[in-house]
Amino acid sequence: MIVSLSAHSQCADVSPRGLINDDSLMSDLYALADDMMQGRRTGTRGAAMARQYVAARFTEIGLQPVARDDYFHPFDYPKVGSDISGVNVLGVVPGDGFSGRFIVVTAHYDHLGKQGGRVFNGADDNASGVAAMLALAASIKQQPLPYSVLFLATDAEEKGLYGAKAFVESPPVSLDQIVANLNLDMLGQGKHRYKLYISGAGSHPAFEQLIDDTEALGTLCIIKGHRDVRRGYVNRRNNYRQASDHGAFLRHDIPYLFVGVAEHGTYHTDEDSAESIPPAFYQAATEASLILLRKMANITFTPRQVREDVP
Ligand SMILES: [Zn+2]
């Protein structure tokens, strides 16, 4: 039998380098994607349990609350006829250089809940991003960056990025102090392709190089852009501004990078379970996100210009 060394098989050869705590990563993934969380639909008991879990982990890791006594930032968002509320969860690791400037790491914790008696656990979408964010928080807490890092688990993303929009519309620190957004949405389901996609390279002059450096240091294949499943090709130009929470930051001209796998067969189905996530790929994707974040902090972000209100 001839084994071909295609690009695909090279991509599949992932071997994480032990930069993060794999046991915590996997236990956070499994906990958030457990049936007990009932699919984490905004406004449900399952979503409340999920954010209690995230807050308890923030406490364990040692994140500081921002502008409140706890990590919870409730918000309302408009729905026809009535306001519905969601709750973001956020905490910070102060920087040891430019502590007044913030990189915001986002991952939405809400998902679709139950449909027709079946629980949509949303393991990849987006328990994987939240668990990865917790791994990044633990690492940054151990070894802080020059910039402060604000970790934001958003609610109501699936309904229209409402948690992220609420954050940027009413931020707990001045918007001008926020220098960049790193958005993690669907890091786990690398099966079949074993490729991680990063879009937003064009949103800051230093990001193209940052992604190249990250690929060189990590252990998996990184594609710039995002794979458009419907069109069947990698779209490097479309910035997928509405695809996930980074869209809310982009609207305010904040540079962003969006990390995630391509849409896949279990996307928004009841088969998106923790068991279906290949651990080595997921761990390597989380490591790549950590490398990206650490390298991002080497960039000198010039403070955003305060825009004068035009009468
Ligand atoms: Zn998502």
Side-chain angles (χ1 to χ4, degrees):
M1 187 177 129
I2 295 163
V3 179
S4 81
L5 279 176
S6 65
H8 175 96
S9 63
Q10 284 169 17
C11 287
D13 182 24
V14 289
S15 42
R17 295 165 49 201
L19 301 181
I20 48 145
N21 184 330
D22 293 339
D23 293 339
S24 297
L25 180 72
M26 298 311 288
S27 71
D28 288 338
L29 171 73
Y30 273 77
L32 289 164
D34 195 277
D35 277 349
M36 222 165 57
M37 304 282 180
Q38 295 286 290
R40 309 183 306 277
R41 187 187 180 90
T42 300
T44 64
R45 256 188 71 213
M49 285 179 71
R51 67 175 162 269
Q52 291 293 347
Y53 182 89
V54 171
R57 292 285 290 120
F58 275 13
T59 302
E60 267 177 30
I61 291 165
L63 299 190
Q64 293 181 8
V66 187
R68 287 174 61 96
D69 294 338
D70 59 24
Y71 301 117
F72 301 121
H73 289 241
F75 61 91
D76 292 328
Y77 65 91
K79 203 186 166 193
V80 184
S82 62
D83 274 355
I84 302 290
S85 52
V87 184
N88 290 333
V89 190
L90 62 104
V92 74
V93 177
D96 59 15
F98 320 108
S99 60
R101 297 184 205 167
F102 294 79
I103 295 172
V104 180
V105 180
T106 45
H108 74 87
Y109 72 89
D110 66 303
H111 191 55
L112 303 174
K114 276 164 61 173
Q115 287 177 15
R118 294 171 304 159
V119 181
F120 284 50
N121 289 312
D124 193 28
D125 189 13
N126 183 31
S128 70
V130 178
M133 185 181 78
L134 293 169
L136 267 50
S139 171
I140 298 301
K141 173 70 185 176
Q142 292 299 312
Q143 210 184 330
L145 300 179
Y147 295 101
S148 293
V149 185
L150 198 153
F151 296 94
L152 169 63
T154 61
D155 197 358
E157 187 272 352
E158 299 282 11
K159 295 176 185 293
L161 322 183
Y162 288 114
K165 285 175 183 167
F167 175 86
V168 294
E169 274 154 32
S170 179
V173 299
S174 156
L175 208 56
D176 296 307
Q177 292 176 273
I178 297 174
V179 296
N181 168 230
L182 174 62
N183 184 31
L184 312 176
D185 195 354
M186 294 171 46
L187 295 195
Q189 194 50 271
K191 225 171 6 196
H192 308 310
R193 298 194 179 276
Y194 284 93
K195 287 173 184 164
L196 188 65
Y197 292 78
I198 302 181
S199 59
S203 69
H204 188 278
F207 280 178
E208 193 87 31
Q209 187 63 45
L210 172 67
I211 296 170
D212 291 343
D213 293 348
T214 298
E215 182 168 35
L217 286 169
T219 60
L220 44 69
C221 298
I222 290 176
I223 311 289
K224 284 179 200 157
H226 205 73
R227 186 164 185 276
D228 190 320
V229 168
R230 268 148 294 199
R231 297 200 184 96
Y233 61 85
V234 177
N235 190 334
R236 293 166 208 277
R237 294 171 65 87
N238 190 326
N239 52 26
Y240 285 81
R241 58 182 66 206
Q242 290 311 319
S244 181
D245 284 334
H246 57 273
F249 290 83
L250 181 62
R251 280 168 149 207
H252 291 267
D253 300 322
I254 296 168
Y256 77 93
L257 289 174
F258 163 37
V259 184
V261 297
E263 274 183 33
H264 47 74
T266 60
Y267 173 74
H268 284 196
T269 73
D270 62 347
E271 285 163 28
D272 183 7
S273 66
E275 292 77 14
S276 73
I277 306 262
F281 176 86
Y282 176 42
Q283 288 153 14
T286 304
E287 285 187 350
S289 305
L290 177 61
I291 295 167
L292 206 55
L293 175 58
R294 288 204 172 280
K295 291 220 151 269
M296 199 183 243
N298 294 335
I299 297 170
T300 306
F301 290 101
T302 48
R304 284 156 24 83
Q305 283 197 317
V306 182
R307 272 171 298 183
E308 314 245 315
D309 279 341
V310 181

